[in-house]
Amino acid sequence: MEVQRKVLTPEQIESFWKDGVICIRQLYTEDWVTRIRAFLDDIVSRPSPITGPRDPSSKFHSDVNTWLTNDEVRDLVLYGPGASVAQQVFQSDRVIFYYDQIFVKEQLAPAPTPWHHDFTFWPLEGNQIASLWASVDPVDAESSALEFVIGSHRWPQRFRAIGADGSDFSTGETLEEVPDIDADRSKFDIVSWELEPGDALLFHALTLHGARGNRSVHKKRRAIATRWCGDDVVYRPGKAMEFYRHDLKDGEPFSAPVYPQVYPGLIPEQICARLAGPVFPDPEILRTTLQRASRLNRVELRPDPAVIKLQASRPVDPA
Ligand SMILES: O=C(O)CCC(=O)C(=O)O
């Protein structure tokens, strides 16, 4: 499959570093939008092994690492325009894919996305870390447009990692509370965009962002974020929940079969397992993560027990 590239202007690259977020109009072709729409609906009805069975009454659906089990998401990651735009803002020799996350807010889904930055959730260190977020539905303030605090990626603070459901992913570090931005929004330089399907937002891992619930009676807001890293990113264990086995050691350049190099090209021995079939979470790591989560009584994850059993005897990752 041919890799899609999109050329950013020098102004867009400069704005990314100055503001911490840019809007890239019509990044995804109509064909990609159709495919993304189809796989988002598919994932909502058949969640990944990490997320497990869904609560049918919920109007908010999130899932992670779906590229490892869904071939359509895999193709978007490996052959879509994400790696190309990340490379241009990072100006790096290599671009590594970290993971994908879906955020589907149905009509009148009340849940806001609390203000946060992503950096403190992730076992990474470096400055070349960004997410590419896009919705396959038109988005406006009513239908849960993402909002960003301009320039917050240049602030010195690192904030507590609180998930959308209130789960606290912060580890031993001393982290500050995210400021109460909604208490006085005039103190902050907040930006958001009305988007059409195909448009995308590229934002730095330290940029504070959030969204209100979906107040639209008519519009769903079906979105996917893909997360990308450049040359300066290293692995820092213990910062977040992990689900997959890899051989990365503290401080090593961030890349592994479950975090593959995509730019300047795939590395055959790294990507072969995923091209050969789905890659499931490591049962042992998943169990430990779940035990930790339930011990802390912080996070509710409901992986599909059948998948854990199925995978118990299957090596996940040849690295
Ligand atoms: O789509 C949303 O509501 C949240 C997106 C988000 O927080 C992210 O992609 O990091």
Side-chain angles (χ1 to χ4, degrees):
M1 197 182 284
E2 205 182 316
V3 178
Q4 195 198 333
R5 303 206 188 285
K6 163 95 176 179
V7 178
L8 299 181
T9 63
E11 292 75 30
Q12 282 177 306
I13 295 172
E14 200 186 317
S15 295
F16 173 86
W17 290 108
K18 184 166 81 46
D19 298 338
V21 56
I22 54 171
C23 175
I24 308 172
R25 296 286 178 195
Q26 293 306 292
L27 175 68
Y28 292 106
T29 59
E30 252 178 69
D31 181 48
W32 275 125
V33 171
T34 306
R35 292 174 64 177
I36 297 170
R37 194 172 281 136
F39 73 58
L40 288 179
D41 289 346
D42 183 37
I43 293 163
V44 168
S45 62
R46 290 187 303 137
S48 80
I50 291 180
T51 302
R54 234 178 246 308
D55 171 0
S57 66
S58 174
K59 289 171 184 282
F60 172 55
H61 312 288
S62 185
D63 210 331
V64 286
N65 284 296
T66 68
W67 83 279
L68 285 166
T69 46
N70 182 307
D71 288 355
E72 283 288 301
V73 187
R74 176 200 66 189
D75 287 352
L76 176 77
V77 166
L78 302 185
Y79 310 112
S84 145
V85 297
Q87 191 278 330
Q88 291 170 73
V89 295
F90 299 153
Q91 295 290 306
S92 64
D93 291 337
R94 304 184 316 148
V95 174
I96 307 304
F97 178 67
Y98 177 24
Y99 75 105
D100 65 275
Q101 186 160 8
I102 74 159
F103 300 94
V104 172
K105 290 189 181 179
E106 290 177 10
Q107 296 91 330
L108 299 178
T113 302
W115 288 102
H116 67 287
H117 60 198
D118 295 328
F119 185 83
T120 43
F121 286 81
W122 295 343
L124 307 175
E125 194 176 290
N127 195 30
Q128 296 169 334
I129 313 172
S131 290
L132 187 64
W133 184 101
S135 166
V136 292
D137 302 295
V139 176
D140 57 18
E142 188 188 39
S143 66
S144 197
L146 270 192
E147 299 183 305
F148 299 85
V149 179
I150 290 189
S152 51
H153 65 304
R154 291 185 273 106
W155 296 357
Q157 297 100 318
R158 299 293 176 264
F159 296 113
R160 277 179 70 207
I162 308 292
D165 58 356
S167 321
D168 184 350
F169 293 86
S170 308
T171 52
E173 304 163 276
T174 319
L175 299 171
E176 287 188 32
E177 296 293 337
V178 176
D180 189 353
I181 291 166
D182 290 322
D184 186 356
R185 292 167 65 96
S186 67
K187 280 196 193 144
F188 302 90
D189 198 357
I190 296 173
V191 69
S192 72
W193 286 265
E194 290 192 0
L195 302 174
E196 289 300 321
D199 297 342
L201 302 170
L202 183 69
F203 56 97
H204 193 276
L206 282 166
T207 306
L208 279 174
H209 57 283
R212 300 176 198 248
N214 185 356
R215 287 167 289 141
S216 172
V217 182
H218 306 290
K219 274 186 281 180
K220 291 185 186 186
R221 193 268 253 162
R222 291 168 289 181
I224 179 165
T226 51
R227 326 283 196 187
W228 302 92
C229 301
D231 294 334
D232 78 353
V233 180
V234 298
Y235 176 64
R236 287 279 178 239
K239 244 189 173 181
M241 305 217 299
E242 293 200 63
F243 304 103
Y244 299 90
R245 192 169 292 287
H246 56 71
D247 285 344
L248 286 171
K249 311 259 176 325
D250 192 359
E252 277 187 352
F254 184 66
S255 191
V258 287
Y259 310 123
Q261 173 180 305
V262 179
Y263 179 93
L266 303 175
I267 301 173
E269 38 309 347
Q270 196 179 51
I271 202 67
C272 61
R274 178 60 191 98
L275 293 180
V279 171
F280 291 90
D282 182 279
E284 228 175 272
I285 298 179
L286 187 55
R287 207 169 294 124
T288 312
T289 297
L290 292 172
Q291 274 165 3
R292 175 178 162 250
S294 68
R295 198 173 51 246
L296 297 174
N297 197 22
R298 286 169 161 179
V299 201
E300 193 197 345
L301 286 165
R302 292 159 290 135
D304 188 340
V307 171
I308 300 179
K309 224 169 35 225
L310 177 77
Q311 291 307 310
S313 56
R314 191 165 154 178
V316 170
D317 171 347

